[in-house]
């Protein structure tokens, strides 16, 4: 883009070449004698206005499509607000939420919970945070060796064989028990997962009584309408009313969750017992069950893409609040992603099923995205400061 101004005794004009290569000539005007200063000022002002417009257009034109990127400064992170406009919280009013994560007593689950709880404590009391208490809901039926390190509440697992090898089915059952038996001081609950790391202080993103959730690109109720209708009859409304979410991360009023949780549990079991649904939904079956259960209760969520990022697909941390390291990160030594193929450098939580990751993991090679570098640095900081790490 360039701008050319010309001012002479007989004429005054402005030429602008924009981002699309289009040249615009503005206000060619002949004046007897001297050119009017007023005309010059008008032309200059208009020229700078168009220059600013072109600059913004150029930035937006070159912006990445990923919501995790900091370059998306100009885009609204709120993907959907149910019911139109939500009621804003009073200025400076804090609405704390309780952080709840479900877990087993397996080493794989425990080391992730330790890292998560470390970063929860680091961010909880910083300005902007509305994080309240924390509970690890341990659905192994008995205490383990982290009871003193992490606030925990023991609940029963599903009866033997009922989960049919799908351990995630214990999640809704764990929430049902916890909500019935525990004393929870906060009016809101954040349903979290062990592989969440808090990047920054997390405010209560729920608003006007509506819960808030992260939209997952792979939860597509409308594409599975025939299956979904087995659990969400037509009289409840269109399938499009079902949000593209799972139960986590979700910040929701406790009384709403108390209503949804039993339905979520029952729908999960029904889906698992239906061969067609089980085959179609696979490991995200329980996520679909939460989305359907919420819709059955008439609950819709605010969808916020800045709630969470997921490396390696989200490359920058941007303004996101949670880093979710569910995907493996594989790169060659040139810093190129080799997803689906074990890389020369890799971080994958599934590499540490039977033992926690070692301290001081090597940083990725140059060229690897910021989100992956941030993940490794934050894991390393936690493991360096947590006691008895490698003996866990």
């Amino acid at each position: 883009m360039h701008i050319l101004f010309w001012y002479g005794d007989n004429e005054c004009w402005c030429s602008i070449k924009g981002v699309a290569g289009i040249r615009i000539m503005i206000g060619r005007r002949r004046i007897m004698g001297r050119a009017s200063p007023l005309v010059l000022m008008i032309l200059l002002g208009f020229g700078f206005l168009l220059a600013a417009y072109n600059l913004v257009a150029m930035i937006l034109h070159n912006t990445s499509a990923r919501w995790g990127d900091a370059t998306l400064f100009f885009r609204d992170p709120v993907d959907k607000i149910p019911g139109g406009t939500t009621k804003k919280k009073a200025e400076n009013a804090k609405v704390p939420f309780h952080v709840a994560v479900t877990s087993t007593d397996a080493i794989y689950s425990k080391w992730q919970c330790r890292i998560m709880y470390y970063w929860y404590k680091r961010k909880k009391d910083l300005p902007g945070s509305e994080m309240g208490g924390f509970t690890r809901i341990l659905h192994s039926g008995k205490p383990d060796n982290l009871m003193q390190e992490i606030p925990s509440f023991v609940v029963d697992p599903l009866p033997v064989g009922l989960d049919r090898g799908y351990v995630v089915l214990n999640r809704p059952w764990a929430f049902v028990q916890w909500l019935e038996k525990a004393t929870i001081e906060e009016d809101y609950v954040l349903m979290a997962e062990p592989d969440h790391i808090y990047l920054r202080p997390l405010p209560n993103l729920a608003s006007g009584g509506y819960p808030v959730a992260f939209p997952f690109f792979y939860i597509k109720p409308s594409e599975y309408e025939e299956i979904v209708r087995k659990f969400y009859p037509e009289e409840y409304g269109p399938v499009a009313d079902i949000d593209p979410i799972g139960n986590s991360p979700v910040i929701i009023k406790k009384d709403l969750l108390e209503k949804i949780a039993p339905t979520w549990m029952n729908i999960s079991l029904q889906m698992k017992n239906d061969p067609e649904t089980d085959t179609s939904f696979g490991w995200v079956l329980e996520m679909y069950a939460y989305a359907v259960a919420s819709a059955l209760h008439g609950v819709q969520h605010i969808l916020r893409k800045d709630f969470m990022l997921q490396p390696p697909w989200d490359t920058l941390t941007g303004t996101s609040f949670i880093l979710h390291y569910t995907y493996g990160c594989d790169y060659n030594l040139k810093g190129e992603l080799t997803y689906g193929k074990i890389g020369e450098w890799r971080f994958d939580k599934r590499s540490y099923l039977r033992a926690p990751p070692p301290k001081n993991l090597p940083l990725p090679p140059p060229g690897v995205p910021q989100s992956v570098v941030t993940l490794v640095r934050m894991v390393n900081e936690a493991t360096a400061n947590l006691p008895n790490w490698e003996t866990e």
Side-chain angles (χ1 to χ4, degrees):
M1 177 186 69
H2 70 261
I3 308 168
L4 178 64
F5 293 98
W6 195 87
Y7 176 47
D9 288 339
N10 296 318
E11 55 186 355
C12 175
W13 49 268
C14 167
S15 174
I16 299 176
K17 185 175 182 181
V19 293
I22 300 171
R23 185 181 298 278
I24 306 167
M25 183 173 288
I26 306 167
R28 183 179 179 92
R29 179 176 179 179
R30 288 190 178 276
I31 305 172
M32 296 300 292
R34 294 181 58 84
S36 167
L38 177 60
V39 172
L40 178 59
M41 290 175 64
I42 292 172
L43 290 176
L44 286 173
F46 190 57
F48 281 115
L49 179 64
L50 284 179
Y53 170 82
N54 275 276
L55 178 61
V56 172
M58 180 174 63
I59 292 172
L60 291 177
H61 178 73
N62 292 288
T63 294
S64 165
R66 290 200 175 277
W67 278 100
D69 291 357
T71 48
L72 289 174
F73 175 77
F74 295 99
R75 297 192 184 179
D76 191 341
V78 180
D79 189 49
K80 186 193 81 171
I81 301 178
T85 305
T86 57
K87 183 180 178 181
K88 294 184 178 180
K89 291 181 292 187
E91 190 174 357
N92 299 323
K94 280 202 168 188
V95 183
F97 55 87
H98 195 97
V99 180
V101 57
T102 56
S103 173
T104 71
D105 60 0
I107 290 174
Y108 175 68
S109 186
K110 289 196 290 187
W111 69 255
Q112 293 176 56
C113 285
R114 297 187 77 194
I115 291 174
M116 178 198 180
Y117 185 59
Y118 172 86
W119 284 106
Y120 156 83
K121 291 192 295 182
R122 286 289 310 273
K123 306 298 183 182
K124 176 183 182 294
D125 296 322
L126 295 180
S129 169
E130 292 180 86
M131 297 164 128
F134 185 102
T135 299
R136 179 182 63 134
I137 308 172
L138 182 62
H139 54 78
S140 301
K142 60 184 184 299
D144 65 6
N145 63 337
L146 293 184
M147 302 296 290
Q148 300 303 314
E149 179 179 335
I150 304 175
S152 301
F153 190 91
V154 178
V155 297
D156 293 326
L158 287 168
V160 175
L162 195 60
D163 65 7
R164 298 174 56 195
Y166 181 52
V167 69
V168 187
L169 281 184
N170 285 280
R171 183 177 294 154
W173 175 223
F175 270 105
V176 168
Q177 296 175 81
W178 177 64
L179 291 164
E180 285 181 350
K181 300 175 182 178
T183 300
I184 307 162
E185 294 182 0
E186 297 86 355
D187 290 331
Y188 283 81
V189 172
L190 164 63
M191 292 186 282
E193 295 185 25
D195 57 355
H196 287 178
I197 290 177
Y198 297 103
L199 294 168
R200 52 185 44 84
L202 180 59
N204 189 338
L205 301 174
S207 181
Y210 288 103
V212 63
F214 175 81
F216 290 91
F217 72 90
Y218 51 80
I219 302 296
K220 301 176 180 179
S222 296
E223 292 190 8
Y224 293 95
E225 182 161 2
E226 289 187 9
I227 293 175
V228 168
R229 282 301 186 195
K230 296 179 182 182
F231 314 97
Y232 189 72
E234 289 187 8
E235 57 264 30
Y236 281 88
V239 169
D241 286 348
I242 301 172
D243 291 325
I245 61 173
N247 85 291
S248 177
V250 167
I251 301 177
I252 185 170
K253 290 195 79 171
K254 183 174 56 180
D255 57 357
L256 274 182
L257 184 56
E258 288 171 344
K259 295 175 183 177
I260 294 171
T263 309
W264 171 30
M265 181 189 71
N266 291 331
I267 295 290
S268 296
L269 293 171
Q270 291 169 23
M271 286 183 171
K272 187 64 181 176
N273 287 326
D274 182 79
E276 182 186 21
T277 306
D278 188 22
T279 300
S280 298
F281 291 166
W283 276 90
V284 298
L285 180 149
E286 165 269 338
M287 297 173 68
Y288 272 100
Y290 175 80
V292 169
S294 298
L296 286 170
H297 285 276
V299 175
Q300 291 188 298
H301 298 69
I302 301 168
L303 303 182
R304 289 200 53 147
K305 294 176 179 177
D306 64 343
F307 203 167
M308 186 170 75
L309 67 91
Q310 302 181 102
W313 311 117
D314 297 307
T315 57
L316 299 178
T317 58
T319 57
S320 296
F321 295 99
I322 295 171
L323 188 154
H324 183 211
Y325 56 97
T326 189
Y327 296 106
C329 300
D330 288 275
Y331 293 86
N332 61 27
L333 297 182
K334 296 179 181 178
E336 299 167 335
L337 182 66
T338 62
Y339 193 78
K341 177 183 176 182
I342 294 177
E344 296 171 280
W345 181 95
R346 77 180 326 230
F347 178 82
D348 187 338
K349 67 177 185 176
R350 296 164 190 84
S351 300
Y352 308 104
L353 295 174
R354 296 177 178 82
K359 293 183 176 184
N360 198 27
L361 291 167
L363 292 176
V368 170
Q370 176 205 16
S371 62
V372 179
V373 177
T374 299
L375 166 60
V376 177
R377 289 187 185 278
M378 295 184 83
V379 168
N380 281 345
E381 178 178 330
T383 60
N385 288 282
L386 289 167
N388 306 315
W389 176 253
E390 291 176 336
T391 61
E392 173 54 48

